[in-house]
Amino acid sequence: DTAVSQTPKYLVTQMGNDKSIKCEQNLGHDTMYWYKQDSKKFLKIMFSYNNKELIINETVPNRFSPKSPDKAHLNLHINSLELGDSAVYFCASSQEASGYEQYFGPGTRLTVT
Amino acid sequence: AQSVTQPDIHITVSEGASLELRCNYSYGATPYLFWYVQSPGQGLQLLLKYFSGDTLVQGIKGFEAEFKRSQSSFNLRKPSVHWSDAAEYFCAVGARTGFQKLVFGTGTRLLVSP
């Protein structure tokens, strides 16, 4: 019973393509997040949704578009992929938007060639 | 805005020895504090958290951390390291006001020698 799941686990694609990563949580949490971990293992938040509403939007290129169809799902669509987008993308969730720990998914390793 | 410093990039500890990983934060008040562990190719697992109350918090896998307000620190400790503890450890802070985004340190890679 995976709490936070992501698909796919690995994604290899060429520059210029468009790709999506899906995230689902079965914890009943209200808030979900996307983080990016670069090649040096540095983790940085990208977006956060609370009850399907965008609440955090860090300085991320507008080629990245999150979408939350319901509280349990948060997808990340990336247009016109660039080499610098290569990273591991983690989805996370928390019970509410503040004051609760975040639970992370297994990550999606995106490689852009 | 909050920030986190993990001054040790790598630490090597002998199996059975004690461990302390350092974490210093910068924030205008007492933040929420977390330690996560990432094994190779895996996601992040929450080890422990500090929200309020007792400044010594216990976590999973025998880890503990102590919040020291005067030193702006939240160091992670384990009395006896096992080979399976080899992983990357991340300290993170979250603000107490507004929507919570975690700000992570750069991580400390723990190597365990036999």
Side-chain angles (χ1 to χ4, degrees):
Chain A
D1 288 349
T2 305
V4 183
S5 59
Q6 295 179 228
T7 54
K9 188 169 176 62
Y10 299 97
L11 188 52
V12 181
T13 188
Q14 292 184 327
M15 286 174 52
N17 285 348
D18 304 338
K19 291 293 178 184
S20 292
I21 306 172
K22 295 186 176 183
C23 177
E24 177 181 2
Q25 55 94 3
N26 63 6
L27 297 167
H29 288 170
D30 284 349
T31 309
M32 297 184 72
Y33 311 80
W34 278 112
Y35 287 83
K36 179 181 180 181
Q37 185 176 47
D38 63 22
S39 58
K40 296 185 178 180
K41 301 277 189 172
F42 183 64
L43 272 155
K44 187 169 172 26
I45 190 166
M46 301 173 69
F47 303 102
S48 177
Y49 272 74
N50 179 249
N51 285 318
K52 303 193 298 176
E53 298 294 323
L54 181 67
I55 58 171
I56 295 174
N57 185 352
E58 292 293 286
T59 309
V60 178
N62 57 16
R63 298 182 295 103
F64 290 78
S65 52
K67 187 167 291 187
S68 181
D70 55 58
K71 286 197 316 182
H73 296 84
L74 179 61
N75 304 323
L76 183 65
H77 187 76
I78 316 171
N79 290 324
S80 303
L81 278 155
E82 300 177 356
L83 292 176
D85 298 331
S86 295
V88 181
Y89 293 85
F90 286 100
C91 178
S93 73
S94 63
Q95 186 169 333
E96 292 182 15
S98 181
Y100 291 88
E101 60 270 29
Q102 296 179 20
Y103 294 90
F104 284 76
T108 295
R109 181 175 293 277
L110 171 65
T111 303
V112 183
T113 62
Chain B
Q2 63 269 37
S3 66
V4 182
T5 301
Q6 292 181 248
D8 303 307
I9 298 174
H10 297 101
I11 281 186
T12 300
V13 175
S14 298
E15 190 168 15
S18 63
L19 168 71
E20 182 169 25
L21 301 183
R22 295 183 291 167
C23 172
N24 293 96
Y25 68 87
S26 174
Y27 184 62
T30 300
Y32 298 124
L33 294 159
F34 308 86
W35 275 99
Y36 284 86
V37 60
Q38 184 179 26
S39 298
Q42 303 296 314
L44 282 83
Q45 182 181 22
L46 178 68
L47 284 176
L48 46 76
K49 62 184 185 285
Y50 174 78
F51 282 1
S52 64
D54 193 346
T55 56
L56 183 64
V57 294
Q58 303 297 321
I60 62 171
K61 304 184 179 186
F63 285 92
E64 66 178 26
E66 186 171 12
F67 166 59
K68 292 186 177 180
R69 186 191 313 271
S70 62
Q71 298 177 20
S72 298
S73 68
F74 189 56
N75 294 348
L76 182 71
R77 301 194 294 247
K78 186 170 184 178
S80 177
V81 168
H82 188 262
W83 64 266
S84 60
D85 293 325
E88 191 94 22
Y89 291 80
F90 293 93
C91 181
V93 300
R96 287 185 180 267
T97 58
F99 297 123
Q100 185 171 302
K101 60 179 182 180
L102 293 184
V103 174
F104 284 84
T106 49
T108 298
R109 174 162 290 182
L110 173 64
L111 304 172
V112 180
S113 61

